[in-house]
Amino acid sequence: MPAAKTMKKLTLPGLIDPHVHMREPGATHKEDWDSGTAAALAGGFTAILAMPNTAPPVTSAETLQSTLLLAGGKACCDFGQYLGAGADNTASAPAIAPFSAGLKMYLDQTYGPLRLDDMTDWLTHLQAWPHGIPVCAHCEGKTLAAVILLADLTRRPVHLCHVSRREEILLIRKAKEQGIPVTCEVAPHHLFLSEDDIPAIGSGRSEVRPRLASRRDVQALWDNLDVIDCFASDHAPHTLAEKDSPTPPPGFPGLETSLPLLLTAASEKRLTIEDIILRCYTNPARIFCLPDQPDTRVEVDLDARYEITAAGAYTRCGWTPFEGMPVQGRVTRVTLRGKTAFEDGKVLAQPGSGRNVRPEVTTPPGVTLPD
Ligand code: NCD
Ligand code: ZN
Ligand code: ZN
Ligand code: ZN
């Protein structure tokens, strides 16, 4: 007779992923608000913040309102929606700010049409956007250095997305030491994969921005864990057919693999459970000014060992760059506001039960709020 299996249980707070792509409107064959938020719950996340590079992109009161209406009808977990910074919305953006998760500035080439090239537009947005509502930037290498300078010049907090390289994390350390108000996030794929994995994953499937980096870069992220404020999946689903096409779009799914990968690293003593809670709950809640979710928790089985597979996942994209990777740690139950939202591999939360993290949205966007 096999020995009775022990199950080492752990209860975490409802985790927050401040960087995901839901693809609705415009590309619901990749993901929609229902499938994407179900993937979030299956991964232990009870709140997600969605990026604005949809089709159309979210850059106006109208597109924000229509996207929030879609989200409100379908989301299974709590959600916020970022506003994209463009050259043409520097004047209108501040009034829309209270209804958004924050402002997203795309400053290097990535997936979608949003990109701000002129640094005077960066400056205008940073000066006009209300303090107390977050600003995030996609900025790599020397662009990241430029953004740090602007955060210093304008004395306003800027959150640096998906930091991946040694030179970037060391520069952020220096900036923080000087009191420059920057925070940053790192995606699990930049902690658990390097460019050495590209042949095994395949070149099209490996496309992601920022690109998978060298093993030295990966080591530098682990060595500077204290500089990393948040872990964020940058869940960026594209279908297998798209990834294997001659023009593969950049992006990896990540919502359902982030926590298992991090728990595995905890089981290997590469970080602690407290490190995970700090970067997946405490810091994101503070940096992104998110409301408390009462009676909300995530239960995990720390002993469960299995291999990551895309089969049975809730994301619509149908693949994962971590296929076959052995992990230890499984989400067994998620409770959101007292209701079981996920249990035994099944999402139970109803589409539409998720709430907007910016409840002011009941007032029509476009209305100018007093300072
Ligand atoms: C993201 C996407 O597909 O929307 N892709 C990516 O490679 N990370 C865009 C982004 O986050 O830069
Ligand atoms: Zn559904
Ligand atoms: Zn990005
Ligand atoms: Zn992204």
Side-chain angles (χ1 to χ4, degrees), residues 143-215:
T143 310
L144 178 134
V147 172
I148 291 173
L149 172 69
L150 265 65
D152 194 21
L153 294 177
T154 59
R155 309 239 176 270
R156 72 110 57 233
V158 178
H159 181 76
L160 307 163
C161 293
H162 44 43
V163 170
S164 65
R165 309 196 95 91
R166 179 176 178 271
E167 59 172 0
E168 295 170 349
I169 199 71
L170 293 181
L171 195 69
I172 295 167
R173 173 179 291 287
K174 195 78 194 159
K176 286 184 170 188
E177 283 168 9
Q178 299 295 316
I180 300 175
V182 289
T183 53
C184 72
E185 69 189 30
V186 168
H189 52 263
H190 291 126
L191 288 170
F192 296 97
L193 298 174
S194 76
E195 59 193 9
D196 295 1
D197 297 302
I198 294 175
I201 297 170
S203 67
R205 295 186 195 187
S206 300
E207 284 291 343
V208 65
R209 297 294 175 277
R211 289 186 164 82
L212 293 179
S214 70
R215 280 168 66 172

Side-chain angles (χ1 to χ4, degrees), residues 20 116 175 215 285 295 331 343 366:
V20 306
L116 269 188
R215 280 168 66 172
D295 204 1
V331 177
E343 193 172 30

Side-chain angles (χ1 to χ4, degrees), residues 38-96:
L41 288 171
F45 296 93
T46 53
I48 53 112
L49 303 181
M51 288 295 164
N53 62 336
T54 44
V58 177
T59 53
S60 65
E62 293 70 30
T63 46
L64 178 63
Q65 185 171 40
S66 58
T67 304
L68 285 172
L69 272 172
L70 290 168
K74 294 171 86 169
C76 308
C77 73
D78 292 356
F79 59 90
Q81 173 63 53
Y82 288 99
L83 186 76
D88 55 355
N89 69 356
T90 50
S92 57
I96 311 167

